Amino acid sequence: MKGKTRGCMGLTLAGALLLLSAAGCGGSEGERVPEGTEEAMQATPETQTQEAQTQGTDGAGLAPAESELYVERVEGLPEDFLFGADVSSYVAERESGVRFYDYEGNELDDQGFFDLLADQGVNYVRLRVWNDPYDAEGHGYGGGNCDLEKAVRAGVWATQAGMRVMIDFHYSDFWADPAKQQAPKAWEGLSVEEKAKALSEYTEESLTALLDAGVDVGMVQIGNETNGKFCGESDWDAMCRLFSAGSGAVRSAAAEKDREIKVALHFANPETEGRYADYAAQLAAHEVDYDVFASSYYPYWHGTTEHLTTVLSQVAETYGKQVMVAETSWASTLSDGDGHGNTVAEGSNDRNLPYPISEQGQAMELRDVIAAVHAVGDKGIGVFYWEPAWIPVQVYEESAKDAQAVYERNAAAWEKDGSGWAASYAKEYDPDDAGQWYGGSAVDNQALFDFSGHPLESLRVFRYVYTGTTAEPVAYEPGEDAAAEDAAAEDVEGNLLLNPGFEDADVSMWRLDAPGDCAGIREEPNNVRSGAYCLHFWAEDAFSYTAEQTVVLDAGTYRAGAYLQGGDAGDDAVFQLYVRVGDDTRTAETEMTGWQNWSNPEVTGLVIAEDGTEATIGVFVSSGPGGWGAWDDLYLVKE
Ligand code: CA
C-alpha cells in the first residue's frame, strides 16, 4: 500500500498497463516489519500484560487488561510473535515539524517515540528503502523520501528501544506495488544478469551499512508486493534470478557479520484464488532461497481473515516456509486530516466492511489479523501494522476558516520534506500516477495516533491480545454501516430488470452461458456491491461468458448500466455491457481495476420506437487466465 488518494486507484493500474504496453515493463503494490525481544517487553510500564509476556506464558489464566476497548484474547499466542510497525515516513514527518506525544500528553523526542512503540508491545520496525528517490536537482520524490540514510536514522532509534528492524527494499526509486515495479533509474537498460549483479551489490552494501551503524536488522524483504513483476522484470525466470541475487547478498552480509537475518518475499492480493499457491510453486521451482512468505492484508481489498489463514497455511505446509502479514491497517474515522483524500473515505472502501470504522474497529481488525496468522500454526510468525504514524503535518478541517491556508502549508511541507505520499518532483519517474496525483497522506485516518500525534488506545492491541480486555464484547454485524445505503443501491428507482442484484432465489430470468462454470450467481459477500449475491467469475484458464435477460419495453428512451469489479484478466480482456434490440446491439466497454473498485459502464440514449419491443440486456466477458471479479446491481431505467 501507499499514499494514493482514492481518486487514482484505477489510474494506477491503467498507468501500469500503459507502461507495460509501451516499455515492456510494469508493476503492482505494498509494504512493512517483525520480532519481540525480552528487553523491549521488560522496558514497559504495563503490569498485567507485561507479566503475561515476561513470564513466558501466553497469558492463559491472567486477568484481562483494564480498557474501554474490547479486545478478545488470542489463545496460545507465543511470546516471540512478531508485532511490527512500519514507520517509514517518520523521519520526513519530523522534518516537517510533526510532533508525537505519550499517553499522558508529554511531547516525545525521537527516541521517546520509538520507546513508546516498544512499550506498547511493538517489537519490530519496518522501514522501506528506495535506491534514489530524488531528481537530478536533489528534490525528493516524497513518500518519506525513504533513502538508506533515513533507514539508518530510524533503525538506530528502533534498535535502542529494543526492537528489531526489517528492511523493505523496493529495488525502485519510488513506490513498488502490484501496479508498479519500475527498476531504479541507474539500472535502466541493464540485462537481467547485469541487474542481478547490481541488485546483489546494492543489497550487500546497504545492509552492511545498516549493520555497521548499529541497526539490529533481523529481516530483509527482497522486493515489495512483487505480484508477478519485480524490478522491471515480469517473467518468473528473471524475477527469481533477481530474488536469488538479493537473498544471496543478505546471506553473505549476515555471515560476514555473524548475524541471523531472515529473507522475506512479499506479495499482495491473498483474496485471489490460487495466487499464492502459484507464486510459492514458482519460487520453489526456481529454488529461490527464502525464509518468510509475507502478505499484505487490507480487509477492504483482500478477502476474509479465514481465507488469509487458508492461503498462508498452504504455503507454510507445502514448502515449510514461515508466513506473516507484512502490512495491514484499518481506519479509525472517515475524516481526512491533512487535505489530501484518503484511501478509506466516504464513498471509497467504506461499504460492506467487516469492522466498524473506529478505534474499536482498528482493535478488532488488528486482533483478527494476528489471530489469523497465529492460526497457521508455528509457521505463522507475525503481523506488521502499516504506517501507524503517518499523520497530518498540520491538522486540516474542511469547514474551518483557515482550511485553505492550512492546506497550502501542508502542501509546501510535502514538497519540501517529502512528508506526503508523493511530491511533484516524482513526475519524472512516475508521470501517470505521482505526476498527476501527488500530495499528502492517504492513510492519516488509519494511523494508531490521532491527527495531532497522540497515541490511540488501539496502539495497545499488541499487548491486549495476550490477555484480552475488561470491556464488554462488541457486537458488529459485518457490513451493517452500509446496510441502509445498500438497500438504496438495490432499489434503483424505476429499474425494469428483474432480480437486478441477484439477491432473489429465483434466478430463472438470467440466461447464463458460462462454459466450465467460469461464472455464476453466487453468495459472495466479499465481492458484492450490495446484498450478499453477485454474478461472480473466475477460471484458471482463459474464459468467456455472457449473462443476459430479456424484458419488454414501451416506446421511450432508456438507460442501462451495471457495476463491475475484479482484476488479473490480462491486457487483452474485454468487459462489456450490451443491450440488444432486434438486430441492433449497443455496447459499453469497461475495465477492472481491483477488488471492490467498481466501474459503472452505461448504455444511454437507447431509443425504443414501439410499445411491446423486446430488449435483451447482458454482460460479456472475455478474460485471460486467472481473471476474477463480479458484476452486481444492473439496471435499466426509462429516462
Ligand atoms: Ca489524508
Side-chain angles (χ1 to χ4, degrees), residues 521-542:
I521 294 169
R522 293 167 190 149
E523 187 174 9
E524 288 267 344
N526 283 313
N527 277 301
V528 300
R529 180 171 174 274
S530 68
Y533 290 81
C534 58
L535 176 65
H536 182 258
F537 54 92
W538 176 80
E540 193 167 5
D541 301 320

Side-chain angles (χ1 to χ4, degrees), residues 116 290 297 451 518 539:
L116 173 78
Y290 70 104
Y297 179 72
F451 289 158
C518 64

Side-chain angles (χ1 to χ4, degrees), residues 74 79 133 142 269 358 386 446 457 470 566 579 590:
V74 178
E79 68 174 293
N269 302 106
S358 62
W386 197 65
Q446 298 190 60
E457 182 77 357
T470 53
V579 182
T590 187

Side-chain angles (χ1 to χ4, degrees), residues 502-563:
F502 312 104
E503 299 299 316
D504 300 338
D506 176 10
V507 295
S508 59
M509 69 293 291
W510 288 107
R511 291 186 303 277
L512 195 57
D513 179 7
D517 204 29
C518 64
I521 294 169
R522 293 167 190 149
E523 187 174 9
E524 288 267 344
N526 283 313
N527 277 301
V528 300
R529 180 171 174 274
S530 68
Y533 290 81
C534 58
L535 176 65
H536 182 258
F537 54 92
W538 176 80
E540 193 167 5
D541 301 320
F543 62 95
S544 62
Y545 67 86
T546 59
E548 60 182 38
Q549 72 169 266
T550 301
V551 293
V552 178
L553 302 178
D554 290 337
T557 304
Y558 293 83
R559 174 168 59 96
Y563 292 89

Side-chain angles (χ1 to χ4, degrees), residues 27 68 78 121 131 194 243 259 306 339 367 375 406 445 457 505 564:
E68 289 177 10
N131 289 45
E194 289 166 341
F243 288 145
R259 305 289 286 260
E306 291 79 7
R367 182 265 170 208
V406 170
N445 62 336
E457 182 77 357
L564 170 71

